Amino acid sequence: MEEYTGKAIFRGIAIGKVCFYEKGEQMVKRGRIENAEEEIARYERAREKAVQELGALYDKALKEVGEVNAAIFEVHAMMLDDDDYNDSVKNIITSQKVNAEYAVAATGDNFSKMFSGMEDDYFRARAADVKDISERVVSILTNRDRTGYVGDEPVIIVAEDLAPSETVQMDKSKLLAFVTEHGSSNSHTAILARTMNNPALIGIPIKKEWNGKLAVVDGYTGTFLVDPDQETLAQMEAKLQADQESARLLLQLKGKETVTPDGKKIRLYANIGSVADVAGALSNDAEGIGLFRSEFLYLEKSDYPTEEEQFQVYRQVAELMAGRKVIIRTLDIGADKQVDYFNLDKEENPALGFRAIRICLTRPEIFKTQLRALFRASAYGNIGIMFPMIISVQEVLKIKEIVAGVKKELDEQGMKYGDVELGIMIETPAAVMMSDELAKEVDFFSIGTNDLTQYTLAMDRQNASLESMYDPHHPAVLRMIRMVIENGHKENCWVGICGELGADTTLTKEFLEMGIDELSVSPSCVLGLRKVIRETKAGTGTAV
Ligand code: PEP
Ligand code: MG
């Protein structure tokens, strides 16, 4: 048995034969031509055919993986229309008197190198795309087949790397998993793998000799086993069965409405911390994102993320959620989430200290950068913004003033943005007590029960020795939630819960009776909670 560990980019277990997928990399021969005009015409015909093929691929992907994920083929078609790309091909044909396939391959290489040298992740990811379109045109010029046939029985695809067009062309019913040596978790191929619901690993040093051998992919641990021994195989089969069992529950509830037997509809959203987490939200059929903890973006960096970097991330999430609500929380740094480059002073009581909105309002340059990125991304989906750790109406008024300034600036620069709902987190007792007035200023409240519990009970949520006394079901917390919902509804402000308590199904009945409008939970809790909501009457609880 051979065992390897890579990075799992989508969870799940797969057991089956390996299909070594050969890239179809094309050795392009350089040939001398006499008539450059004829060669350019030959290139134009191949280019047009490639655009037609991409149109057909778009239609196929649209049916199988949805509009947002199919969009990559539109991007490819647009790349083939790009003047710089076409001028480069034609210039190589004319100036070097070479055949079209050589000119296309050389252009593809040049552009790909240029993109992969760029700092921006988005452009680096385009390197694979430009190679992909060039290979498509070369295939047409050389009459080679690129249909992605992987055989008749379901297989684990093992490849050095996979281009999005290769992935989507494969017959989905014949795919068990993807294992690649290269590739990144943010590439479109990874996004497609997740959307196709196949376990996928990257970073596995692949071998051609595995072709046809039995293998196991564990998308929970990142493990890849070739020729597993009997004992390991039996263990993995048991794991697969358990996985299939929960998937059955998942399947039954996917696509079903989150509605109580007496007709109250609940928005059942998911909490995420990165673009990669959207896969879990989608595969668990979350109806939106109720909390995107944007501070993770700052935590994984060694310096402030730029407006552009943030914009790309927020836009990707908005696009992946394809019109469903995406609520992004502004930076919640401080307390347990410390970032060196913020150079914050050491504090006696960090949980009660300089954190979250307090930092943003004191250092507006950081706040404005994030708001600009968020508003720009709102042109690509249905974004809502919420602000953490609010204690007063004055803070909200100040935030609204800064937001108005950011929108004015974007207007002046001719930058688009969408209609953005603004909300606040209710996670301090002060916000609870002021919720009647706060509700007049915002579109929604999202109750952060994790912090609300610690501040209400005056118990550090990080302190393990308080574990036995720490009671999130404390009546004080539940009364506060009720109060917030009542005050919110009086002002037509919808109310959700995004703290961990939202997923506690022993409280679902109570929340429904209180009139909760939204529950935002970890992706893996979505379907279990949907089941409970569909079985629980809301009684008098009314929604906004
Ligand atoms: C909360 O406090 O309930 C919350 C959702 O925010 P975080 O857990 O990130 O503090
Ligand atoms: Mg909190």
Side-chain angles (χ1 to χ4, degrees), residues 291 293 329 332 337 425 427 448-451 461 498-499:
L291 166 63
R293 291 180 162 95
R329 166 173 83 185
D332 188 8
K337 289 174 261 183
M425 291 196 64
E427 49 186 350
T449 49
N450 309 337
D451 277 318
R461 69 193 247 196
C498 64

Side-chain angles (χ1 to χ4, degrees), residues 108-334:
D109 271 353
N110 295 343
F111 274 68
S112 161
K113 277 207 191 82
M114 178 180 76
F115 283 136
S116 45
M118 285 175 142
E119 279 207 347
D120 192 302
D121 285 349
Y122 178 80
F123 284 111
R124 274 212 305 276
R126 300 288 77 75
D129 294 327
V130 77
K131 269 205 109 131
D132 195 25
I133 57 159
S134 307
E135 277 172 18
R136 176 172 301 284
V137 178
V138 171
S139 303
I140 294 167
L141 286 164
T142 53
N143 290 320
R144 276 183 61 136
D145 189 20
R146 278 174 48 109
T147 50
Y149 176 69
V150 295
D152 290 327
E153 65 175 317
V155 286
I156 295 168
I157 298 291
V158 169
E160 273 195 16
D161 200 357
L162 285 168
S165 60
E166 290 170 318
T167 318
V168 81
Q169 279 187 101
M170 291 172 186
D171 180 351
K172 265 191 353 174
S173 65
K174 305 285 170 359
L175 297 179
L176 295 173
F178 295 106
V179 175
T180 62
E181 184 151 350
H182 307 294
S184 75
S185 30
N186 285 325
S187 69
H188 278 101
T189 293
I191 293 168
L192 285 171
R194 291 186 193 116
T195 321
M196 287 172 165
N197 209 7
N198 284 123
L201 308 179
I202 54 174
I204 302 286
I206 59 152
K207 292 184 196 160
K208 197 170 177 178
E209 71 214 39
W210 294 337
N211 198 29
K213 288 192 175 174
L214 186 67
V216 178
V217 174
D218 186 335
Y220 296 100
T221 59
T223 319
F224 183 56
L225 307 166
V226 185
D227 267 343
D229 56 49
Q230 280 310 313
E231 198 188 326
T232 313
L233 188 60
Q235 279 170 6
M236 294 313 292
E237 273 165 352
K239 205 167 171 183
L240 175 63
Q241 256 178 19
D243 215 36
Q244 285 168 342
E245 201 47 49
S246 26
R248 254 190 285 283
L249 167 73
L250 198 134
L251 271 184
Q252 283 164 16
L253 287 158
K254 261 178 112 160
K256 295 251 165 81
E257 262 196 324
T258 309
V259 62
T260 65
D262 50 351
K264 179 173 179 191
K265 193 141 173 26
I266 300 293
R267 308 175 193 198
L268 182 50
Y269 293 171
N271 295 346
I272 60 164
S274 68
V275 179
D277 295 346
V278 177
L282 287 172
S283 65
N284 286 288
D285 203 23
E287 294 151 28
I289 301 296
L291 166 63
F292 178 4
R293 291 180 162 95
S294 70
E295 59 276 7
F296 287 114
L297 248 169
Y298 293 72
L299 284 164
E300 61 194 31
K301 294 256 163 200
S302 53
D303 203 350
Y304 298 99
T306 62
E307 176 184 323
E308 196 57 30
E309 279 167 341
Q310 294 192 56
F311 162 68
Q312 295 297 351
V313 170
Y314 305 145
R315 195 199 69 178
Q316 263 187 313
V317 175
E319 285 183 344
L320 284 165
M321 290 307 290
R324 278 166 280 189
K325 183 68 110 194
V326 174
I327 298 173
I328 302 174
R329 166 173 83 185
T330 58
L331 180 60
D332 188 8
I333 287 293

Side-chain angles (χ1 to χ4, degrees), residues 50-70:
V51 172
Q52 276 167 18
E53 281 183 10
L54 287 164
L57 272 178
Y58 175 82
D59 292 341
K60 183 174 189 297
L62 190 64
K63 279 193 216 108
E64 291 180 1
V65 290
E67 189 176 350
V68 170
N69 296 302

Side-chain angles (χ1 to χ4, degrees), residues 446-483:
S446 187
I447 306 176
T449 49
N450 309 337
D451 277 318
L452 184 59
T453 307
Q454 83 162 340
Y455 296 129
T456 302
L457 305 184
M459 280 190 189
D460 181 355
R461 69 193 247 196
Q462 308 271 94
N463 188 336
S465 55
L466 296 174
E467 194 65 37
S468 62
M469 291 170 258
Y470 195 87
D471 177 16
H473 288 204
H474 194 293
V477 177
L478 297 177
R479 281 191 200 183
M480 285 191 170
I481 296 174
R482 185 182 294 279
M483 184 175 177

